[in-house]
Amino acid sequence: MTAQPAAQNPEMLSVQGLNVRFGGLQAVSDLSFDVYPGEVLSLIGPNGAGKTTAFNAITGYLAPTSGRVTYAGVALHTLKPSQIAALGVVRTFQKTSVFGGLTVLDNVLTALHRRAKQTVWATLLALPSVSAEERALHAKACEIIGFFGLTERADVLGASLPYGEQRLLEVAIALAAEPKLLLLDEPVSGMNPAETANFIRLLGRIRDLGITVLLVEHDMRMVMDVSDRVLVLNQGQLIAEGPPAEIQRHPEVIQAYLGTGYKRADG
């Protein structure tokens, strides 16, 4: 991927001095970083490093012990997850979260209906504007599932999809929320190599839509392939930050990954 963000661009998301403590456990310690428009920024680290905890604090699912999280100048750490999503900061989860009892198409339509503009009265009166909006939302849902290669699965229940396609559907649902900043928590977890390669291509297309991406992922080959910058957490602390080629050779990063199956992406 190319088109790295210009260093002088104002940050889209700013995390400053973020601390998250659970009793006596310091899960995230004084974490500070910025996300710039148009980039893919990856947050990596061994299991238990605090990556998902940081995601939860950024997106309102967890109240930080201290620190600030701002998006386009708005303090996110004071808002609810729904309010944060409405601003354009949308996330997926480590465990697949789709509506298992709904079809693929209805999963995406459910997300799109949150953007519906018609009033309850207009719906009850069956005004023409309601039908027009429903047609527009249906067309948009078809476009989104086509984007993810799920058109032939449109009428399949979410719970009946293979795991890799459930992961795709979850990202499709997130995309329906029209994110400006998309946070992906281990999106290729459980995918086979072919599915991972397909997702890498999709991530490039998502970026081409003008969506900025903050990624948590254990697949190092993917991380090194798609990222503009990489942040490395270990035991809740930021130990390295830089471009992929630099991170692969960073002594503290190599030490943090010893015994966890870490391999250089070019090795």
Side-chain angles (χ1 to χ4, degrees):
M1 294 185 180
T2 56
Q4 294 189 19
Q8 66 270 24
N9 283 353
E11 69 276 4
M12 174 180 275
L13 179 81
S14 182
V15 177
Q16 297 298 322
L18 186 69
N19 288 279
V20 180
R21 178 182 290 275
F22 302 107
L25 173 65
Q26 186 78 26
V28 175
S29 179
D30 198 29
L31 177 63
S32 296
F33 66 91
D34 295 325
V35 183
Y36 294 94
E39 75 173 333
V40 174
L41 176 64
S42 290
L43 184 60
I44 69 171
N47 289 330
K51 306 181 297 296
T52 295
T53 299
F55 256 38
N56 288 340
I58 290 169
T59 53
Y61 288 89
L62 180 66
T65 306
S66 61
R68 288 182 58 82
V69 181
T70 57
Y71 169 77
V74 178
L76 297 190
H77 55 282
T78 65
L79 302 179
K80 298 177 181 179
S82 59
Q83 295 172 312
I84 293 172
L87 291 173
V89 180
V90 181
R91 67 167 297 177
T92 65
F93 293 85
Q94 200 172 61
K95 293 184 178 180
T96 304
S97 55
V98 301
F99 303 106
L102 298 180
T103 66
V104 168
L105 183 62
D106 284 340
N107 264 271
V108 177
L109 275 171
T110 297
L112 287 173
H113 272 100
R114 296 177 183 176
R115 293 162 35 198
K117 298 177 181 179
Q118 298 301 315
T119 65
V120 174
W121 279 112
T123 302
L124 290 174
L125 294 172
L127 296 181
S129 59
V130 174
S131 297
E133 184 176 65
E134 286 295 324
R135 289 193 298 271
L137 292 176
H138 187 276
K140 184 64 177 178
C142 290
E143 178 186 340
I144 290 171
I145 65 174
F147 183 92
F148 286 89
L150 295 172
T151 299
E152 294 184 359
R153 302 291 200 176
D155 296 325
V156 176
L157 293 180
S160 299
L161 292 175
Y163 184 77
E165 290 183 346
Q166 287 191 27
R167 300 295 287 180
L168 290 181
L169 178 57
E170 183 180 21
V171 182
I173 293 169
L175 204 64
E178 294 189 328
K180 298 182 182 73
L181 174 60
L182 179 61
L183 291 81
L184 300 174
D185 195 351
E186 298 192 24
V188 301
S189 174
M191 288 189 181
N192 61 41
E195 290 171 331
T196 298
N198 178 57
F199 189 84
I200 290 173
R201 290 190 292 270
L202 282 169
L203 189 58
R205 294 179 62 198
I206 289 171
R207 182 178 187 167
D208 289 343
L209 295 174
I211 298 171
T212 303
V213 177
L214 178 56
L215 173 71
V216 163
E217 186 50 63
H218 278 294
D219 188 316
M220 289 299 99
R221 290 186 181 275
M222 174 185 170
V223 166
M224 298 305 166
D225 188 34
V226 305
S227 305
D228 294 312
R229 291 189 297 132
V230 181
L231 308 175
V232 187
L233 283 181
N234 190 33
Q235 297 180 347
Q237 295 184 319
L238 184 65
I239 62 170
E241 176 181 356
E246 179 182 310
I247 291 298
Q248 290 182 81
R249 295 168 175 80
H250 195 290
E252 285 188 75
V253 177
I254 295 172
Q255 182 179 8
Y257 274 96
L258 285 176
T260 67
Y262 173 75
K263 295 182 180 180
R264 276 177 42 183
D266 59 355

